[in-house]
PDB file of all heavy atoms in Angstrom:
ATOM      1  N   ARG A 957       0.240 -10.678  -7.571  1.00  0.00           N
ATOM      2  CA  ARG A 957       0.154 -12.168  -7.196  1.00  0.00           C
ATOM      3  C   ARG A 957      -0.012 -13.013  -8.447  1.00  0.00           C
ATOM      4  O   ARG A 957       0.601 -14.027  -8.757  1.00  0.00           O
ATOM      5  CB  ARG A 957      -1.048 -12.358  -6.332  1.00  0.00           C
ATOM      6  CG  ARG A 957      -0.761 -11.959  -4.882  1.00  0.00           C
ATOM      7  CD  ARG A 957      -2.059 -12.064  -4.156  1.00  0.00           C
ATOM      8  NE  ARG A 957      -2.081 -11.745  -2.719  1.00  0.00           N
ATOM      9  CZ  ARG A 957      -3.178 -11.376  -2.030  1.00  0.00           C
ATOM     10  NH1 ARG A 957      -4.408 -11.454  -2.742  1.00  0.00           N
ATOM     11  NH2 ARG A 957      -3.161 -11.050  -0.781  1.00  0.00           N
ATOM     12  N   ALA A 958      -0.868 -12.619  -9.365  1.00  0.00           N
ATOM     13  CA  ALA A 958      -1.266 -13.420 -10.515  1.00  0.00           C
ATOM     14  C   ALA A 958      -0.070 -13.578 -11.492  1.00  0.00           C
ATOM     15  O   ALA A 958       0.019 -14.610 -12.009  1.00  0.00           O
ATOM     16  CB  ALA A 958      -2.453 -12.808 -11.264  1.00  0.00           C
ATOM     17  N   LEU A 959       0.669 -12.462 -11.639  1.00  0.00           N
ATOM     18  CA  LEU A 959       1.783 -12.562 -12.505  1.00  0.00           C
ATOM     19  C   LEU A 959       3.060 -12.960 -11.833  1.00  0.00           C
ATOM     20  O   LEU A 959       4.098 -13.032 -12.418  1.00  0.00           O
ATOM     21  CB  LEU A 959       1.885 -11.211 -13.155  1.00  0.00           C
ATOM     22  CG  LEU A 959       0.748 -10.760 -14.147  1.00  0.00           C
ATOM     23  CD1 LEU A 959       0.994  -9.365 -14.650  1.00  0.00           C
ATOM     24  CD2 LEU A 959       0.522 -11.670 -15.086  1.00  0.00           C
ATOM     25  N   GLY A 960       3.055 -13.361 -10.532  1.00  0.00           N
ATOM     26  CA  GLY A 960       4.261 -13.716  -9.810  1.00  0.00           C
ATOM     27  C   GLY A 960       5.359 -12.540  -9.771  1.00  0.00           C
ATOM     28  O   GLY A 960       6.593 -12.941  -9.877  1.00  0.00           O
ATOM     29  N   LEU A 961       5.008 -11.382  -9.554  1.00  0.00           N
ATOM     30  CA  LEU A 961       5.881 -10.304  -9.594  1.00  0.00           C
ATOM     31  C   LEU A 961       6.275  -9.754  -8.104  1.00  0.00           C
ATOM     32  O   LEU A 961       6.559  -8.656  -7.859  1.00  0.00           O
ATOM     33  CB  LEU A 961       5.310  -9.075 -10.437  1.00  0.00           C
ATOM     34  CG  LEU A 961       5.309  -9.256 -11.800  1.00  0.00           C
ATOM     35  CD1 LEU A 961       4.653  -8.068 -12.561  1.00  0.00           C
ATOM     36  CD2 LEU A 961       6.660  -9.646 -12.454  1.00  0.00           C
ATOM     37  N   GLN A 962       6.181 -10.735  -7.170  1.00  0.00           N
ATOM     38  CA  GLN A 962       6.401 -10.328  -5.783  1.00  0.00           C
ATOM     39  C   GLN A 962       7.894  -9.814  -5.767  1.00  0.00           C
ATOM     40  O   GLN A 962       8.720 -10.338  -6.343  1.00  0.00           O
ATOM     41  CB  GLN A 962       6.277 -11.608  -4.894  1.00  0.00           C
ATOM     42  CG  GLN A 962       4.853 -12.107  -4.835  1.00  0.00           C
ATOM     43  CD  GLN A 962       4.326 -13.104  -5.764  1.00  0.00           C
ATOM     44  OE1 GLN A 962       4.825 -13.258  -6.912  1.00  0.00           O
ATOM     45  NE2 GLN A 962       3.326 -13.851  -5.398  1.00  0.00           N
ATOM     46  N   GLY A 963       7.921  -8.677  -4.980  1.00  0.00           N
ATOM     47  CA  GLY A 963       9.316  -8.087  -4.762  1.00  0.00           C
ATOM     48  C   GLY A 963       9.760  -7.125  -6.013  1.00  0.00           C
ATOM     49  O   GLY A 963      10.868  -6.675  -5.887  1.00  0.00           O
ATOM     50  N   ARG A 964       8.774  -7.079  -6.977  1.00  0.00           N
ATOM     51  CA  ARG A 964       9.158  -6.126  -8.053  1.00  0.00           C
ATOM     52  C   ARG A 964       8.106  -5.010  -8.421  1.00  0.00           C
ATOM     53  O   ARG A 964       8.164  -4.377  -9.391  1.00  0.00           O
ATOM     54  CB  ARG A 964       9.207  -6.967  -9.315  1.00  0.00           C
ATOM     55  CG  ARG A 964      10.359  -7.981  -9.273  1.00  0.00           C
ATOM     56  CD  ARG A 964      10.499  -8.835 -10.476  1.00  0.00           C
ATOM     57  NE  ARG A 964      10.705  -8.144 -11.696  1.00  0.00           N
ATOM     58  CZ  ARG A 964      11.877  -7.552 -12.127  1.00  0.00           C
ATOM     59  NH1 ARG A 964      12.873  -7.725 -11.329  1.00  0.00           N
ATOM     60  NH2 ARG A 964      12.010  -7.025 -13.321  1.00  0.00           N
ATOM     61  N   VAL A 965       7.244  -4.717  -7.428  1.00  0.00           N
ATOM     62  CA  VAL A 965       6.315  -3.702  -7.468  1.00  0.00           C
ATOM     63  C   VAL A 965       6.315  -2.758  -6.267  1.00  0.00           C
ATOM     64  O   VAL A 965       6.457  -3.360  -5.162  1.00  0.00           O
ATOM     65  CB  VAL A 965       4.825  -4.286  -7.595  1.00  0.00           C
ATOM     66  CG1 VAL A 965       3.822  -3.212  -7.562  1.00  0.00           C
ATOM     67  CG2 VAL A 965       4.774  -5.255  -8.856  1.00  0.00           C
ATOM     68  N   LEU A 966       6.359  -1.431  -6.551  1.00  0.00           N
ATOM     69  CA  LEU A 966       6.273  -0.463  -5.488  1.00  0.00           C
ATOM     70  C   LEU A 966       5.277   0.557  -5.680  1.00  0.00           C
ATOM     71  O   LEU A 966       4.955   0.877  -6.825  1.00  0.00           O
ATOM     72  CB  LEU A 966       7.662   0.338  -5.497  1.00  0.00           C
ATOM     73  CG  LEU A 966       7.965   1.214  -4.280  1.00  0.00           C
ATOM     74  CD1 LEU A 966       9.459   1.362  -3.983  1.00  0.00           C
ATOM     75  CD2 LEU A 966       7.470   2.626  -4.535  1.00  0.00           C
ATOM     76  N   ILE A 967       4.446   0.821  -4.628  1.00  0.00           N
ATOM     77  CA  ILE A 967       3.512   1.849  -4.664  1.00  0.00           C
ATOM     78  C   ILE A 967       4.004   3.137  -4.068  1.00  0.00           C
ATOM     79  O   ILE A 967       4.387   3.023  -2.754  1.00  0.00           O
ATOM     80  CB  ILE A 967       2.258   1.405  -3.930  1.00  0.00           C
ATOM     81  CG1 ILE A 967       1.567   0.140  -4.738  1.00  0.00           C
ATOM     82  CG2 ILE A 967       1.107   2.518  -3.949  1.00  0.00           C
ATOM     83  CD1 ILE A 967       0.311  -0.408  -4.147  1.00  0.00           C
ATOM     84  N   SER A 968       4.010   4.197  -4.799  1.00  0.00           N
ATOM     85  CA  SER A 968       4.449   5.546  -4.187  1.00  0.00           C
ATOM     86  C   SER A 968       3.252   6.266  -3.689  1.00  0.00           C
ATOM     87  O   SER A 968       2.301   6.365  -4.302  1.00  0.00           O
ATOM     88  CB  SER A 968       5.116   6.227  -5.336  1.00  0.00           C
ATOM     89  OG  SER A 968       6.384   5.722  -5.599  1.00  0.00           O
ATOM     90  N   HIS A 969       3.477   6.859  -2.467  1.00  0.00           N
ATOM     91  CA  HIS A 969       2.548   7.693  -1.811  1.00  0.00           C
ATOM     92  C   HIS A 969       1.444   6.980  -0.946  1.00  0.00           C
ATOM     93  O   HIS A 969       1.446   7.083   0.194  1.00  0.00           O
ATOM     94  CB  HIS A 969       1.894   8.800  -2.722  1.00  0.00           C
ATOM     95  CG  HIS A 969       2.881   9.578  -3.467  1.00  0.00           C
ATOM     96  ND1 HIS A 969       3.794  10.379  -2.700  1.00  0.00           N
ATOM     97  CD2 HIS A 969       3.125   9.847  -4.729  1.00  0.00           C
ATOM     98  CE1 HIS A 969       4.523  11.051  -3.580  1.00  0.00           C
ATOM     99  NE2 HIS A 969       4.171  10.669  -4.837  1.00  0.00           N
ATOM    100  N   ALA A 970       0.588   6.184  -1.761  1.00  0.00           N
ATOM    101  CA  ALA A 970      -0.342   5.339  -0.968  1.00  0.00           C
ATOM    102  C   ALA A 970      -1.126   6.135   0.074  1.00  0.00           C
ATOM    103  O   ALA A 970      -1.280   5.764   1.310  1.00  0.00           O
ATOM    104  CB  ALA A 970       0.390   4.205  -0.453  1.00  0.00           C
ATOM    105  N   TYR A 971      -1.588   7.400  -0.291  1.00  0.00           N
ATOM    106  CA  TYR A 971      -2.356   8.121   0.639  1.00  0.00           C
ATOM    107  C   TYR A 971      -3.677   7.384   1.316  1.00  0.00           C
ATOM    108  O   TYR A 971      -3.989   7.724   2.403  1.00  0.00           O
ATOM    109  CB  TYR A 971      -2.952   9.438  -0.117  1.00  0.00           C
ATOM    110  CG  TYR A 971      -1.960  10.325  -0.640  1.00  0.00           C
ATOM    111  CD1 TYR A 971      -2.106  11.234  -1.625  1.00  0.00           C
ATOM    112  CD2 TYR A 971      -0.611  10.419  -0.010  1.00  0.00           C
ATOM    113  CE1 TYR A 971      -1.219  12.154  -2.105  1.00  0.00           C
ATOM    114  CE2 TYR A 971       0.402  11.351  -0.418  1.00  0.00           C
ATOM    115  CZ  TYR A 971       0.003  12.242  -1.519  1.00  0.00           C
ATOM    116  OH  TYR A 971       0.916  13.095  -1.926  1.00  0.00           O
ATOM    117  N   CYS A 972      -4.269   6.521   0.515  1.00  0.00           N
ATOM    118  CA  CYS A 972      -5.350   5.904   1.029  1.00  0.00           C
ATOM    119  C   CYS A 972      -5.179   5.193   2.274  1.00  0.00           C
ATOM    120  O   CYS A 972      -6.137   4.975   3.054  1.00  0.00           O
ATOM    121  CB  CYS A 972      -6.069   4.900  -0.044  1.00  0.00           C
ATOM    122  SG  CYS A 972      -4.921   3.617  -0.591  1.00  0.00           S
ATOM    123  N   LEU A 973      -3.917   4.788   2.552  1.00  0.00           N
ATOM    124  CA  LEU A 973      -3.669   3.976   3.683  1.00  0.00           C
ATOM    125  C   LEU A 973      -3.725   4.759   4.993  1.00  0.00           C
ATOM    126  O   LEU A 973      -3.798   4.250   6.112  1.00  0.00           O
ATOM    127  CB  LEU A 973      -2.406   3.238   3.591  1.00  0.00           C
ATOM    128  CG  LEU A 973      -2.135   2.197   2.596  1.00  0.00           C
ATOM    129  CD1 LEU A 973      -0.695   1.557   2.568  1.00  0.00           C
ATOM    130  CD2 LEU A 973      -3.173   1.025   3.016  1.00  0.00           C
ATOM    131  N   GLY A 974      -3.715   6.088   4.736  1.00  0.00           N
ATOM    132  CA  GLY A 974      -3.800   7.074   5.883  1.00  0.00           C
ATOM    133  C   GLY A 974      -5.280   7.511   6.039  1.00  0.00           C
ATOM    134  O   GLY A 974      -5.435   8.277   6.959  1.00  0.00           O
ATOM    135  N   MET A 975      -6.197   6.783   5.431  1.00  0.00           N
ATOM    136  CA  MET A 975      -7.536   7.364   5.575  1.00  0.00           C
ATOM    137  C   MET A 975      -8.619   6.335   5.812  1.00  0.00           C
ATOM    138  O   MET A 975      -9.686   6.599   6.491  1.00  0.00           O
ATOM    139  CB  MET A 975      -7.998   7.920   4.152  1.00  0.00           C
ATOM    140  CG  MET A 975      -7.054   9.044   3.576  1.00  0.00           C
ATOM    141  SD  MET A 975      -7.547   9.613   2.037  1.00  0.00           S
ATOM    142  CE  MET A 975      -9.037  10.345   2.373  1.00  0.00           C
ATOM    143  N   ILE A 976      -8.378   5.054   5.483  1.00  0.00           N
ATOM    144  CA  ILE A 976      -9.467   4.135   5.482  1.00  0.00           C
ATOM    145  C   ILE A 976      -9.548   3.418   6.974  1.00  0.00           C
ATOM    146  O   ILE A 976      -8.651   3.558   7.755  1.00  0.00           O
ATOM    147  CB  ILE A 976      -9.276   2.856   4.537  1.00  0.00           C
ATOM    148  CG1 ILE A 976      -7.882   2.331   4.703  1.00  0.00           C
ATOM    149  CG2 ILE A 976      -9.403   3.497   3.069  1.00  0.00           C
ATOM    150  CD1 ILE A 976      -7.581   1.196   3.675  1.00  0.00           C
ATOM    151  N   GLU A 977     -10.730   2.910   7.246  1.00  0.00           N
ATOM    152  CA  GLU A 977     -11.038   2.373   8.506  1.00  0.00           C
ATOM    153  C   GLU A 977     -10.171   1.172   8.879  1.00  0.00           C
ATOM    154  O   GLU A 977      -9.542   0.414   7.958  1.00  0.00           O
ATOM    155  CB  GLU A 977     -12.392   1.960   8.666  1.00  0.00           C
ATOM    156  CG  GLU A 977     -13.096   1.059   7.669  1.00  0.00           C
ATOM    157  CD  GLU A 977     -12.792  -0.437   8.030  1.00  0.00           C
ATOM    158  OE1 GLU A 977     -12.675  -0.667   9.298  1.00  0.00           O
ATOM    159  OE2 GLU A 977     -12.969  -1.316   7.153  1.00  0.00           O
ATOM    160  N   PRO A 978      -9.859   0.935  10.203  1.00  0.00           N
ATOM    161  CA  PRO A 978      -8.758  -0.063  10.438  1.00  0.00           C
ATOM    162  C   PRO A 978      -8.850  -1.463   9.947  1.00  0.00           C
ATOM    163  O   PRO A 978      -7.731  -2.003   9.492  1.00  0.00           O
ATOM    164  CB  PRO A 978      -8.978  -0.130  12.013  1.00  0.00           C
ATOM    165  CG  PRO A 978      -9.576   1.178  12.475  1.00  0.00           C
ATOM    166  CD  PRO A 978     -10.423   1.593  11.350  1.00  0.00           C
ATOM    167  N   ALA A 979     -10.087  -2.113   9.946  1.00  0.00           N
ATOM    168  CA  ALA A 979     -10.112  -3.414   9.345  1.00  0.00           C
ATOM    169  C   ALA A 979      -9.704  -3.476   7.963  1.00  0.00           C
ATOM    170  O   ALA A 979      -9.025  -4.360   7.370  1.00  0.00           O
ATOM    171  CB  ALA A 979     -11.501  -4.005   9.623  1.00  0.00           C
ATOM    172  N   ARG A 980     -10.216  -2.456   7.175  1.00  0.00           N
ATOM    173  CA  ARG A 980      -9.883  -2.370   5.750  1.00  0.00           C
ATOM    174  C   ARG A 980      -8.454  -2.161   5.509  1.00  0.00           C
ATOM    175  O   ARG A 980      -7.699  -2.667   4.642  1.00  0.00           O
ATOM    176  CB  ARG A 980     -10.740  -1.166   5.115  1.00  0.00           C
ATOM    177  CG  ARG A 980     -10.528  -0.971   3.678  1.00  0.00           C
ATOM    178  CD  ARG A 980     -11.411  -1.851   2.818  1.00  0.00           C
ATOM    179  NE  ARG A 980     -11.705  -1.346   1.509  1.00  0.00           N
ATOM    180  CZ  ARG A 980     -11.178  -2.005   0.445  1.00  0.00           C
ATOM    181  NH1 ARG A 980     -10.552  -3.154   0.539  1.00  0.00           N
ATOM    182  NH2 ARG A 980     -11.427  -1.537  -0.807  1.00  0.00           N
ATOM    183  N   HIS A 981      -7.846  -1.318   6.375  1.00  0.00           N
ATOM    184  CA  HIS A 981      -6.476  -0.937   6.246  1.00  0.00           C
ATOM    185  C   HIS A 981      -5.640  -2.202   6.549  1.00  0.00           C
ATOM    186  O   HIS A 981      -4.689  -2.434   5.760  1.00  0.00           O
ATOM    187  CB  HIS A 981      -6.064   0.095   7.338  1.00  0.00           C
ATOM    188  CG  HIS A 981      -4.638   0.407   7.602  1.00  0.00           C
ATOM    189  ND1 HIS A 981      -3.808  -0.379   8.300  1.00  0.00           N
ATOM    190  CD2 HIS A 981      -3.934   1.303   7.016  1.00  0.00           C
ATOM    191  CE1 HIS A 981      -2.735   0.087   8.394  1.00  0.00           C
ATOM    192  NE2 HIS A 981      -2.595   1.148   7.529  1.00  0.00           N
ATOM    193  N   ASP A 982      -6.023  -2.949   7.568  1.00  0.00           N
ATOM    194  CA  ASP A 982      -5.172  -4.097   7.972  1.00  0.00           C
ATOM    195  C   ASP A 982      -5.198  -5.258   6.902  1.00  0.00           C
ATOM    196  O   ASP A 982      -4.142  -5.893   6.628  1.00  0.00           O
ATOM    197  CB  ASP A 982      -5.557  -4.582   9.303  1.00  0.00           C
ATOM    198  CG  ASP A 982      -5.222  -3.631  10.315  1.00  0.00           C
ATOM    199  OD1 ASP A 982      -4.570  -2.725  10.177  1.00  0.00           O
ATOM    200  OD2 ASP A 982      -5.684  -3.851  11.495  1.00  0.00           O
ATOM    201  N   ALA A 983      -6.340  -5.231   6.241  1.00  0.00           N
ATOM    202  CA  ALA A 983      -6.425  -6.242   5.140  1.00  0.00           C
ATOM    203  C   ALA A 983      -5.662  -5.945   4.050  1.00  0.00           C
ATOM    204  O   ALA A 983      -4.807  -6.831   3.410  1.00  0.00           O
ATOM    205  CB  ALA A 983      -7.944  -6.516   4.702  1.00  0.00           C
ATOM    206  N   LEU A 984      -5.653  -4.673   3.606  1.00  0.00           N
ATOM    207  CA  LEU A 984      -4.807  -4.232   2.534  1.00  0.00           C
ATOM    208  C   LEU A 984      -3.272  -4.296   2.891  1.00  0.00           C
ATOM    209  O   LEU A 984      -2.505  -4.784   2.029  1.00  0.00           O
ATOM    210  CB  LEU A 984      -5.062  -2.701   2.066  1.00  0.00           C
ATOM    211  CG  LEU A 984      -6.276  -2.405   1.327  1.00  0.00           C
ATOM    212  CD1 LEU A 984      -6.546  -0.985   1.187  1.00  0.00           C
ATOM    213  CD2 LEU A 984      -6.109  -3.066  -0.077  1.00  0.00           C
ATOM    214  N   VAL A 985      -2.908  -4.018   4.070  1.00  0.00           N
ATOM    215  CA  VAL A 985      -1.538  -4.154   4.517  1.00  0.00           C
ATOM    216  C   VAL A 985      -1.033  -5.657   4.351  1.00  0.00           C
ATOM    217  O   VAL A 985       0.075  -5.798   4.010  1.00  0.00           O
ATOM    218  CB  VAL A 985      -1.263  -3.580   5.803  1.00  0.00           C
ATOM    219  CG1 VAL A 985       0.129  -3.788   6.335  1.00  0.00           C
ATOM    220  CG2 VAL A 985      -1.520  -1.905   5.744  1.00  0.00           C
ATOM    221  N   ALA A 986      -1.938  -6.457   4.853  1.00  0.00           N
ATOM    222  CA  ALA A 986      -1.627  -7.845   4.833  1.00  0.00           C
ATOM    223  C   ALA A 986      -1.354  -8.253   3.391  1.00  0.00           C
ATOM    224  O   ALA A 986      -0.560  -9.158   3.054  1.00  0.00           O
ATOM    225  CB  ALA A 986      -2.673  -8.769   5.509  1.00  0.00           C
ATOM    226  N   GLY A 987      -2.288  -7.803   2.451  1.00  0.00           N
ATOM    227  CA  GLY A 987      -2.143  -8.101   1.018  1.00  0.00           C
ATOM    228  C   GLY A 987      -0.826  -7.584   0.476  1.00  0.00           C
ATOM    229  O   GLY A 987      -0.076  -8.348  -0.346  1.00  0.00           O
ATOM    230  N   LEU A 988      -0.452  -6.376   0.881  1.00  0.00           N
ATOM    231  CA  LEU A 988       0.767  -5.889   0.400  1.00  0.00           C
ATOM    232  C   LEU A 988       2.070  -6.662   0.774  1.00  0.00           C
ATOM    233  O   LEU A 988       2.869  -6.934   0.057  1.00  0.00           O
ATOM    234  CB  LEU A 988       1.059  -4.392   0.940  1.00  0.00           C
ATOM    235  CG  LEU A 988       0.031  -3.302   0.361  1.00  0.00           C
ATOM    236  CD1 LEU A 988       0.209  -1.978   1.168  1.00  0.00           C
ATOM    237  CD2 LEU A 988       0.328  -3.080  -1.167  1.00  0.00           C
ATOM    238  N   ALA A 989       1.972  -7.150   2.028  1.00  0.00           N
ATOM    239  CA  ALA A 989       3.006  -7.850   2.718  1.00  0.00           C
ATOM    240  C   ALA A 989       3.161  -9.313   1.897  1.00  0.00           C
ATOM    241  O   ALA A 989       4.280  -9.693   1.539  1.00  0.00           O
ATOM    242  CB  ALA A 989       2.846  -8.084   4.140  1.00  0.00           C
ATOM    243  N   GLU A 990       2.024  -9.941   1.717  1.00  0.00           N
ATOM    244  CA  GLU A 990       1.941 -11.181   1.011  1.00  0.00           C
ATOM    245  C   GLU A 990       2.373 -11.089  -0.508  1.00  0.00           C
ATOM    246  O   GLU A 990       3.133 -11.918  -1.031  1.00  0.00           O
ATOM    247  CB  GLU A 990       0.591 -11.766   1.079  1.00  0.00           C
ATOM    248  CG  GLU A 990       0.430 -13.211   0.509  1.00  0.00           C
ATOM    249  CD  GLU A 990      -0.986 -13.544   0.412  1.00  0.00           C
ATOM    250  OE1 GLU A 990      -1.783 -13.025   0.965  1.00  0.00           O
ATOM    251  OE2 GLU A 990      -1.146 -14.700  -0.231  1.00  0.00           O
ATOM    252  N   ALA A 991       2.112  -9.965  -1.086  1.00  0.00           N
ATOM    253  CA  ALA A 991       2.487  -9.773  -2.454  1.00  0.00           C
ATOM    254  C   ALA A 991       3.878  -9.176  -2.629  1.00  0.00           C
ATOM    255  O   ALA A 991       4.396  -9.040  -3.712  1.00  0.00           O
ATOM    256  CB  ALA A 991       1.597  -8.856  -3.181  1.00  0.00           C
ATOM    257  N   GLY A 992       4.428  -8.923  -1.496  1.00  0.00           N
ATOM    258  CA  GLY A 992       5.816  -8.364  -1.630  1.00  0.00           C
ATOM    259  C   GLY A 992       5.970  -7.044  -2.263  1.00  0.00           C
ATOM    260  O   GLY A 992       6.906  -6.694  -2.879  1.00  0.00           O
ATOM    261  N   ILE A 993       4.865  -6.095  -2.081  1.00  0.00           N
ATOM    262  CA  ILE A 993       4.717  -4.837  -2.685  1.00  0.00           C
ATOM    263  C   ILE A 993       5.338  -3.752  -1.650  1.00  0.00           C
ATOM    264  O   ILE A 993       4.892  -3.725  -0.415  1.00  0.00           O
ATOM    265  CB  ILE A 993       3.325  -4.486  -3.047  1.00  0.00           C
ATOM    266  CG1 ILE A 993       2.891  -5.441  -4.156  1.00  0.00           C
ATOM    267  CG2 ILE A 993       3.288  -2.999  -3.559  1.00  0.00           C
ATOM    268  CD1 ILE A 993       1.437  -5.319  -4.470  1.00  0.00           C
ATOM    269  N   ALA A 994       6.314  -3.049  -2.040  1.00  0.00           N
ATOM    270  CA  ALA A 994       6.934  -2.028  -1.160  1.00  0.00           C
ATOM    271  C   ALA A 994       6.059  -0.675  -1.258  1.00  0.00           C
ATOM    272  O   ALA A 994       5.343  -0.434  -2.252  1.00  0.00           O
ATOM    273  CB  ALA A 994       8.305  -1.663  -1.549  1.00  0.00           C
ATOM    274  N   VAL A 995       6.193   0.229  -0.270  1.00  0.00           N
ATOM    275  CA  VAL A 995       5.481   1.443  -0.252  1.00  0.00           C
ATOM    276  C   VAL A 995       6.464   2.598   0.029  1.00  0.00           C
ATOM    277  O   VAL A 995       7.310   2.482   1.027  1.00  0.00           O
ATOM    278  CB  VAL A 995       4.431   1.472   0.783  1.00  0.00           C
ATOM    279  CG1 VAL A 995       3.835   2.817   1.118  1.00  0.00           C
ATOM    280  CG2 VAL A 995       3.363   0.422   0.528  1.00  0.00           C
ATOM    281  N   MET A 996       6.384   3.594  -0.687  1.00  0.00           N
ATOM    282  CA  MET A 996       7.159   4.850  -0.575  1.00  0.00           C
ATOM    283  C   MET A 996       6.361   5.950  -0.050  1.00  0.00           C
ATOM    284  O   MET A 996       5.258   6.159  -0.421  1.00  0.00           O
ATOM    285  CB  MET A 996       7.825   5.306  -1.934  1.00  0.00           C
ATOM    286  CG  MET A 996       8.837   6.367  -1.849  1.00  0.00           C
ATOM    287  SD  MET A 996       8.264   8.111  -1.337  1.00  0.00           S
ATOM    288  CE  MET A 996       6.918   8.477  -2.621  1.00  0.00           C
ATOM    289  N   THR A 997       6.848   6.631   0.957  1.00  0.00           N
ATOM    290  CA  THR A 997       6.195   7.818   1.497  1.00  0.00           C
ATOM    291  C   THR A 997       7.256   8.970   1.535  1.00  0.00           C
ATOM    292  O   THR A 997       8.373   8.841   1.807  1.00  0.00           O
ATOM    293  CB  THR A 997       5.607   7.657   2.930  1.00  0.00           C
ATOM    294  OG1 THR A 997       4.892   8.740   3.393  1.00  0.00           O
ATOM    295  CG2 THR A 997       6.809   7.307   4.022  1.00  0.00           C
ATOM    296  N   ALA A 998       6.622  10.149   1.294  1.00  0.00           N
ATOM    297  CA  ALA A 998       7.382  11.454   1.485  1.00  0.00           C
ATOM    298  C   ALA A 998       6.973  12.140   2.845  1.00  0.00           C
ATOM    299  O   ALA A 998       7.601  13.174   3.053  1.00  0.00           O
ATOM    300  CB  ALA A 998       7.102  12.542   0.266  1.00  0.00           C
ATOM    301  N   GLY A 999       6.284  11.431   3.617  1.00  0.00           N
ATOM    302  CA  GLY A 999       5.823  12.101   4.861  1.00  0.00           C
ATOM    303  C   GLY A 999       5.102  13.423   4.580  1.00  0.00           C
ATOM    304  O   GLY A 999       5.403  14.488   5.192  1.00  0.00           O
ATOM    305  N   PRO A1000       4.065  13.314   3.734  1.00  0.00           N
ATOM    306  CA  PRO A1000       3.474  14.782   3.261  1.00  0.00           C
ATOM    307  C   PRO A1000       2.807  15.508   4.369  1.00  0.00           C
ATOM    308  O   PRO A1000       2.118  14.797   5.182  1.00  0.00           O
ATOM    309  CB  PRO A1000       2.612  14.417   2.178  1.00  0.00           C
ATOM    310  CG  PRO A1000       2.202  12.996   2.493  1.00  0.00           C
ATOM    311  CD  PRO A1000       3.406  12.274   3.172  1.00  0.00           C
ATOM    312  N   ALA A1001       2.952  16.810   4.479  1.00  0.00           N
ATOM    313  CA  ALA A1001       2.262  17.616   5.532  1.00  0.00           C
ATOM    314  C   ALA A1001       0.904  17.857   5.096  1.00  0.00           C
ATOM    315  O   ALA A1001      -0.024  17.977   6.123  1.00  0.00           O
ATOM    316  CB  ALA A1001       3.068  18.917   5.589  1.00  0.00           C
ATOM    317  N   GLY A1002       0.466  17.971   3.923  1.00  0.00           N
ATOM    318  CA  GLY A1002      -0.827  18.419   3.597  1.00  0.00           C
ATOM    319  C   GLY A1002      -1.776  17.270   3.066  1.00  0.00           C
ATOM    320  O   GLY A1002      -2.852  17.570   2.490  1.00  0.00           O
ATOM    321  N   PHE A1003      -1.252  15.952   3.053  1.00  0.00           N
ATOM    322  CA  PHE A1003      -1.967  14.969   2.564  1.00  0.00           C
ATOM    323  C   PHE A1003      -1.914  13.751   3.561  1.00  0.00           C
ATOM    324  O   PHE A1003      -1.183  13.747   4.416  1.00  0.00           O
ATOM    325  CB  PHE A1003      -1.429  14.472   1.160  1.00  0.00           C
ATOM    326  CG  PHE A1003      -1.471  15.460   0.152  1.00  0.00           C
ATOM    327  CD1 PHE A1003      -0.330  16.296  -0.147  1.00  0.00           C
ATOM    328  CD2 PHE A1003      -2.620  15.595  -0.590  1.00  0.00           C
ATOM    329  CE1 PHE A1003      -0.418  17.135  -1.127  1.00  0.00           C
ATOM    330  CE2 PHE A1003      -2.744  16.492  -1.604  1.00  0.00           C
ATOM    331  CZ  PHE A1003      -1.651  17.466  -1.815  1.00  0.00           C
ATOM    332  N   PRO A1004      -2.908  12.852   3.539  1.00  0.00           N
ATOM    333  CA  PRO A1004      -2.895  11.627   4.303  1.00  0.00           C
ATOM    334  C   PRO A1004      -1.581  10.886   4.015  1.00  0.00           C
ATOM    335  O   PRO A1004      -0.993  11.006   2.912  1.00  0.00           O
ATOM    336  CB  PRO A1004      -4.090  10.901   3.890  1.00  0.00           C
ATOM    337  CG  PRO A1004      -4.961  11.783   3.184  1.00  0.00           C
ATOM    338  CD  PRO A1004      -4.048  12.817   2.607  1.00  0.00           C
TER     339      PRO A1004
END
């Protein structure tokens, strides 16, 4: 947000989003959406 890089940042894996409690999760997801940050997943079997 601070550097105006919306749409130019991607987070790969983001395991933490499969672990944290709902309110914390939803706040982070809202932040990702607002900042235009994409998320990549491999659908891992052994990780969140």
Side-chain angles (χ1 to χ4, degrees):
R957 286 174 177 158
L959 296 177
L961 291 177
Q962 290 88 341
R964 293 180 61 78
V965 177
L966 187 151
I967 295 176
S968 290
H969 302 302
Y971 293 156
C972 64
L973 291 177
M975 304 177 69
I976 53 180
E977 54 88 20
R980 181 87 160 112
H981 171 275
D982 292 348
L984 276 176
V985 170
L988 292 170
E990 183 185 349
I993 297 173
V995 171
M996 188 291 305
T997 184
F1003 296 94

